[in-house]
Amino acid sequence: KIEEILMPNEQILWSGKPKKNAFVINQSIAMMPIALIWLLIDGGFIAAIIATGEFLAISWFIIPFFALHLLPVWIWLSNVLTAGARWKNTEYAITDKRIIIRGGLVGYDIKSIYYTEISNVSLRVGFVDKMLGVGDVHIFENGIISNGKNVLLPAILDVENPEEVFKKLQKIVIDIQTDIHYPNDLRPGENHGYNTTYNG
């Protein structure tokens, strides 16, 4: 539970989990086109080799080669088969100090993103998301650049009412970053350093 890792006086402003059917479906279709094309191509080669009658003679090479070459298919199948288990371990929280993203398969991992590390947040609602009533809130972190662009790493995936989550997170990021650079009314009347609370 995310509550177990909160810092003293840290308050949860929003928490949630992905919508289960949306999470499982999106995880299942993520690599499906590539995996199916890969499987068709490799299946064609295997069928052609079998048609020549040479399969058994060179099976010592063909079987290990295609077992390895079909790696994208195995990765996709793994995503499909483990989506339900990963959903159980997935949880999100927006607090007055950071964003917490919990995930994992057998065990779990926790990612904390502090508001000073965020350069931007964005909302994505794809075709399948729209049908299922969910969306993804992506977070861009400062200093993580690829090809001259900030790379989005963590995300709050497949949550219901994504527009509300996005607006809330965007407001908190702006408020806290503004308060750091230009202290404002979001701070209490007396500032006791690290004990300062967010009053947004």
Side-chain angles (χ1 to χ4, degrees):
K1 293 286 184 181
I2 280 180
E3 289 80 4
E4 296 171 358
I5 63 154
L6 294 179
M7 296 182 281
N9 301 319
E10 185 173 11
Q11 297 179 353
I12 293 177
L13 306 175
W14 175 87
S15 65
K17 284 179 68 68
K19 188 176 180 182
K20 186 174 183 180
N21 66 337
F23 184 84
V24 171
I25 290 169
N26 279 322
Q27 293 292 311
S28 299
I29 65 175
M31 285 182 60
M32 184 164 51
I34 294 171
L36 292 180
I37 290 168
W38 207 280
L39 184 60
L40 284 172
I41 292 169
D42 278 14
F45 278 116
I46 292 168
I49 292 167
I50 291 172
T52 65
E54 297 293 322
F55 183 81
L56 289 178
I58 57 173
S59 61
W60 61 272
F61 169 75
I62 292 298
I63 292 173
F65 173 80
F66 280 107
L68 186 61
H69 198 259
L70 285 166
L71 187 60
V73 177
W74 309 140
I75 293 171
W76 170 65
L77 283 174
S78 173
N79 282 340
V80 172
L81 297 174
T82 62
R86 282 183 287 119
W87 173 82
K88 287 182 182 177
N89 280 335
T90 302
E91 191 177 0
Y92 311 116
I94 298 171
T95 79
D96 57 343
K97 299 186 186 299
R98 56 184 165 152
I99 300 161
I100 304 170
I101 297 177
R102 182 183 187 270
L105 179 55
V106 178
Y108 62 87
D109 59 86
I110 294 173
K111 168 89 173 166
S112 289
I113 307 125
Y114 293 90
Y115 296 113
T116 52
E117 300 172 351
I118 297 172
S119 64
N120 190 24
V121 292
S122 68
L123 172 64
R124 294 187 182 179
V125 180
F127 177 72
V128 174
D129 293 335
K130 195 168 185 178
M131 289 194 302
L132 298 171
V134 299
D136 306 331
V137 179
H138 291 274
I139 302 157
F140 295 82
E141 293 188 74
N142 287 321
I144 303 177
I145 306 291
S146 175
N147 298 323
K149 296 181 180 178
N150 286 77
V151 176
L152 67 165
L153 288 180
I156 298 173
L157 298 174
D158 302 317
V159 289
E160 296 180 273
N161 303 312
E163 294 85 1
E164 294 303 314
V165 178
F166 171 69
K167 285 192 290 185
K168 180 182 281 289
L169 179 56
Q170 194 172 44
K171 180 181 185 303
I172 295 168
V173 170
I174 291 169
D175 284 347
I176 290 179
Q177 289 192 0
T178 301
D179 191 49
I180 289 167
H181 297 293
Y182 308 100
N184 56 38
D185 290 339
L186 294 176
R187 293 190 180 187
E190 295 181 16
N191 181 356
H192 300 291
Y194 65 85
N195 289 320
T196 296
T197 56
Y198 171 67
N199 297 324

